[in-house]
């Protein structure tokens, strides 16, 4: 079926998703992105929301084959941010009127870490008089831990499924019993039951990933009743098993990077068209592959941006992939830069608002 016909349909099928994700003709691509953007305008106007991102520690017990801060990467200098420093950054985010903060780190499940995160949450709530929305993105935990953090004030949780296809997930992780797809999926279910707004996402353009797999990822978002999507291109990190394999196979050329960027923009547009009222982030990884990557994401239907507010001295140690942008910048520079990027495409910043997923509240009303 011609793309225009598909775009006129009120309900897209799996085949439609596959057809849209398979578009490569430049004029058709532009139409697809424009349709994604038009859908975003319908749902929430041209507002984009900020989440100030603090990457507070790169210690990680996991060994994901793609990630630059995986446990076995000995080239990384490990760091922890003190409570005081996190609170200083959080106060800055609050004073900037961003409305919302994301706390991200490597994964740890020890009691000291769990208590530390709980303290951070309570203190941030206190300093912002309960006004700052808090999203956690610190990996897999037990139900009891997720509950403790929810009670301490976190109200959103981001946990990417990485791929909704267990066989593909397996190729991206060591088979050591600690990287189990079913466990990750169960975590998403627990988070939902506890009452979090739940975010997930996948990496796009992975070796062995097909367009049908990506269509199934979008169906997974629907089936799991996901409120927020954070997805982006897979980007090589030179000192990882997957990165080395991709480079050796000649799969990291400029053309391949362009293909992964394009696929990611298509995923944003098609997800927006299919799920309509979810929050979708224009992730930093888009900008690792193209200087205007995040703007392109917003123009394809994304409505959330995450200005980096990590302490400058730790930015060079939190490199999940190569060419990460903004590493040399201050938090103020990141804010000004994103303000300008949003203005340049004719959008507006939703300052002072939590910018919660409309999808989540619709469900609450039912
Ligand atoms: N440790 C937590 C949060 C930090 S990692 C967790 O894993 O959930 C956050 C995300 O970074 C991961 O979910 C993964 O999708 C992404 N990521 C890691 N390495 C990447 C790479 N090489 N390219 C693109 N995204 C990557
Ligand atoms: Fe750790 Fe997350 Fe990186 Fe996996 S993706 S190694 S859990 S920081």
């Amino acid at each position: 079926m011609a793309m225009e016909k598909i775009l006129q349909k009120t309900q897209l099928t799996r085949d439609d998703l596959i057809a849209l994700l398979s578009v490569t003709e430049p004029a058709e691509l532009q139409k697809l992105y424009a349709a994604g953007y038009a859908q975003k305008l319908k749902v929430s106007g041209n507002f984009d929301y900020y989440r100030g991102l603090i990457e507070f520690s790169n210690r990680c017990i996991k060994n994901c084959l793609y990630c630059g801060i995986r446990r076995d990467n000995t080239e990384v200098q490990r760091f922890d941010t003190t409570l005081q420093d996190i609170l200083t950054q959080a106060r800055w985010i609050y004073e900037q009127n961003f409305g919302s903060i994301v706390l991200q780190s490597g994964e740890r499940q020890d009691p000291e870490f769990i208590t530390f995160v709980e303290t951070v949450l309570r203190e941030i709530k206190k300093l912002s008089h309960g006004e700052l929305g808090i999203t956690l993105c610190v990996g897999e935990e037990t139900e009891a831990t997720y509950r403790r953090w929810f009670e301490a004030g976190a109200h959103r949780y981001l946990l990417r499924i990485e791929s909704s296809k267990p066989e593909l997930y397996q190729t991206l992780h060591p088979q050591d019993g600690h990287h189990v797809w079913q466990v990750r999926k169960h975590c998403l279910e627990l988070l939902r039951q506890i009452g979090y707004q739940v975010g997930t996402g996948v990496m796009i353009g992975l070796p062995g990933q097909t367009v049908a797999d990506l269509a199934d990822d979008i169906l997974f978002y629907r089936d799991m009743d996901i409120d927020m999507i954070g997805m982006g291109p897979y980007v090589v990190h030179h000192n990882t098993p997957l990165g080395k394999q991709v480079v050796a196979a000649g799969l990291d050329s400029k053309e391949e990077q362009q293909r992964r960027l394009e696929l990611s923009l298509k995923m944003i547009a098609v997800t927006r068209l299919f799920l309509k009222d979810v929050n979708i982030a224009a992730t930093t990884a888009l900008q690792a592959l193209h200087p205007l990557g995040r703007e392109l994401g917003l123009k394809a239907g994304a409505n959330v941006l995450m200005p980096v507010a990590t302490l400058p001295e730790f930015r060079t140690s939190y490199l999940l992939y190569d060419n990460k942008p903004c590493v040399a910048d201050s938090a103020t520079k990141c804010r000004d830069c994103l303000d300008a990027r949003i203005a340049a495409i004719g959008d507006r910043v939703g300052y002072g608002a939590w910018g919660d997923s409309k999808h989540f509240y619709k469900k609450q009303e039912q």
Side-chain angles (χ1 to χ4, degrees):
M1 198 189 295
M3 193 184 79
E4 261 90 19
K5 279 243 171 73
I6 299 178
L7 290 178
Q8 282 161 12
K9 291 176 70 169
T10 43
Q11 196 51 56
L12 301 175
T13 63
R14 179 172 184 269
D15 283 345
D16 294 333
L17 300 182
I18 293 175
L20 293 178
L21 292 169
S22 305
V23 165
T24 51
E25 176 64 31
E28 289 208 322
L29 280 173
Q30 290 315 317
K31 272 188 206 151
L32 177 58
Y33 302 154
Y37 187 70
Q39 181 62 48
K40 156 176 150 177
L41 293 184
K42 244 193 247 172
V43 175
S44 53
N46 64 348
F47 281 106
D48 301 320
Y49 296 96
Y50 280 162
R51 319 273 181 243
L53 173 64
I54 304 182
E55 299 148 327
F56 66 92
S57 170
N58 63 357
R59 288 184 208 283
C60 190
I61 57 170
K62 290 284 182 71
N63 231 344
C64 307
L65 300 177
Y66 43 84
C67 177
I69 62 169
R70 62 197 299 273
R71 190 184 66 218
D72 284 357
N73 186 2
T74 51
E75 285 179 4
V76 176
Q77 203 182 339
R78 302 290 163 172
F79 72 87
D80 298 295
T81 313
T82 63
L83 175 64
Q84 277 323 312
D85 282 342
I86 297 178
L87 296 183
T88 303
Q89 295 303 96
R91 192 167 293 112
W92 182 84
I93 290 169
Y94 177 57
E95 284 164 1
Q96 296 312 305
N97 220 0
F98 282 2
S100 201
I101 188 170
V102 181
L103 297 169
Q104 191 184 91
S105 72
E107 187 171 306
R108 277 176 56 184
Q109 296 169 345
D110 54 287
E112 199 187 324
F113 179 76
I114 294 167
T115 306
F116 179 74
V117 171
E118 186 181 23
T119 309
V120 169
L121 292 168
R122 291 198 192 281
E123 293 296 323
I124 293 178
K125 276 284 154 192
K126 225 188 279 170
L127 76 82
S128 70
H129 315 289
E131 287 172 23
L132 208 51
I134 312 180
T135 307
L136 279 177
C137 180
V138 301
E140 295 167 28
E141 302 288 340
T142 63
E143 179 176 356
T145 301
Y146 285 147
R147 252 182 221 290
R148 253 174 88 178
W149 291 344
F150 187 72
E151 279 155 20
H155 82 300
R156 307 188 184 114
Y157 205 103
L158 279 177
L159 184 75
R160 289 189 180 182
I161 193 71
E162 316 297 359
S163 167
S164 64
K165 188 179 182 180
E167 302 80 25
L168 182 56
Y169 186 90
Q170 270 198 12
T171 67
L172 308 171
H173 298 93
Q175 298 310 298
D176 57 1
H178 298 299
H179 299 74
V180 181
W181 185 88
Q182 283 75 10
V183 172
R184 207 158 174 90
K185 176 167 180 264
H186 185 57
C187 284
L188 289 172
E189 288 158 356
L190 290 174
L191 290 163
R192 152 84 52 241
Q193 284 163 20
I194 293 168
Y196 284 95
Q197 291 180 36
V198 182
T200 195
V202 297
M203 283 182 290
I204 300 160
L206 291 160
Q209 188 183 46
T210 65
V211 171
D213 294 339
L214 291 169
D216 288 335
D217 290 337
I218 299 177
L219 296 175
F220 177 89
Y221 301 155
R222 179 199 60 191
D223 295 342
M224 295 292 289
D225 207 2
I226 292 299
D227 305 299
M228 322 174 285
I229 317 281
M231 57 184 171
Y234 163 65
V235 184
V236 163
H237 185 286
H238 62 281
N239 195 29
T240 56
L242 191 70
K244 286 179 183 165
Q245 179 196 319
V246 166
V247 170
L251 292 174
D252 200 35
S253 60
K254 281 274 161 253
E255 293 72 37
E256 274 299 313
Q257 291 184 4
Q258 172 64 24
R259 188 187 68 84
R260 291 205 295 268
L261 173 76
E262 204 172 277
L263 208 45
S264 303
L265 297 174
K266 284 190 276 188
M267 275 295 276
I268 290 175
V270 177
T271 303
R272 172 62 71 203
L273 290 168
F274 188 66
L275 295 180
K276 300 191 169 62
D277 58 0
V278 292
N279 274 344
I280 304 179
T283 53
T284 317
L286 289 167
Q287 203 177 318
L289 296 184
H290 189 289
L292 298 179
R294 283 193 277 185
E295 287 92 318
L296 294 170
L298 296 174
K299 282 305 251 183
N303 66 331
V304 168
L305 280 174
M306 299 185 181
V308 183
T310 303
L311 280 184
E313 60 264 41
F314 295 144
R315 290 182 182 216
T316 47
S317 300
Y318 200 90
L319 301 179
L320 308 181
Y321 44 79
D322 295 342
N323 301 320
K324 187 175 172 198
C326 323
V327 170
D329 297 341
S330 67
T332 310
K333 175 124 190 282
C334 280
R335 177 207 56 198
D336 293 347
C337 165
L338 288 182
D339 275 357
R341 285 171 188 268
I342 287 176
I345 62 162
D347 273 8
R348 287 179 289 173
V349 184
Y351 274 115
W354 280 17
D356 279 322
S357 161
K358 294 223 167 8
H359 182 74
F360 184 77
Y361 286 106
K362 250 189 226 158
K363 277 187 307 200
Q364 306 282 86
E365 286 160 14
Q366 280 164 10

